[in-house]
Amino acid sequence: MKRSLRVAALATTLALSGTAFAQVTAKDPWVRGTVGKLTTTGAFMQLTAATDSRLVAAASPVAGTVEIHEMRMEGDVMRMRAITGLDLPAGQTVELRPGGYHVMLMGLKKPLNDGETVPITLTVEARDGTRTTIPLEARVRGVAAQGGGHGHTKGGH
Ligand SMILES: [Cu+2]
């Protein structure tokens, strides 16, 4: 499953044959499940770009708005904010994880249940400005942690 997702992402980028397309693999994409009236959650994955690239946008049919967020300490408080892009240096795995960078899904149209899959499309920009879209199927895993969402299981099973 995970392997085939990777191959699918690669195949998509390769299909857009250009000289400097952004070739990015997304490993283990997942979304935290939601309960009740919660309409916001995060999507996480490990991104590795073959050439210097930048994640500039994300979209999903299950959410009204999708943003790229970072978490940072402001005084004693961990806050998240939208960023315009996330650098993906060549050959380096950038991890989107709870408590760190994440794709924020807002205005969810329905609860996301454990075991479902959520389509997410990433837009990646290469150095020369060429944009590539990468479709993912992110697995819904767990539910939003009570009280903040720190220290949630990362990776693994
Ligand atoms: Cu966020």
Side-chain angles (χ1 to χ4, degrees):
M1 184 70 177
K2 286 170 189 167
R3 190 182 176 83
S4 66
L5 289 173
R6 258 179 114 170
V7 172
L10 255 181
T12 307
T13 53
L14 289 172
L16 301 168
S17 59
T19 46
F21 56 80
Q23 187 179 311
V24 175
T25 55
K27 199 179 155 216
D28 196 21
W30 66 281
V31 173
R32 183 181 286 155
T34 62
V35 286
K37 291 188 172 139
L38 193 64
T39 58
T40 300
T41 193
F44 312 97
M45 66 204 71
Q46 291 149 35
L47 297 175
T48 310
T51 58
D52 285 343
S53 310
R54 194 169 159 81
L55 174 64
V56 293
S60 175
V62 304
T65 307
V66 182
E67 294 180 349
I68 302 159
H69 277 191
E70 69 170 1
M71 303 280 289
R72 61 183 338 179
M73 290 300 290
E74 282 178 22
D76 295 340
V77 187
M78 188 77 128
R79 287 187 197 284
M80 63 183 176
R81 69 183 185 108
I83 53 176
T84 54
L86 174 59
D87 285 329
L88 305 173
Q92 218 171 292
T93 299
V94 176
E95 192 175 9
L96 281 68
R97 59 179 174 79
Y101 295 112
H102 54 278
V103 170
M104 196 82 195
L105 305 176
M106 294 176 292
L108 293 173
K109 291 156 188 170
K110 64 179 189 65
L112 302 177
N113 299 308
D114 214 339
E116 293 177 353
T117 53
V118 172
I120 296 174
T121 304
L122 303 180
T123 302
V124 171
E125 192 175 274
R127 268 244 177 98
D128 67 356
T130 310
R131 289 193 169 194
T132 306
T133 56
I134 302 167
L136 304 175
E137 292 286 332
R139 185 119 232 208
V140 178
R141 207 193 277 171
V143 293
Q146 296 170 350
H150 286 261
H152 209 75
T153 50
K154 65 169 186 180
H157 297 266

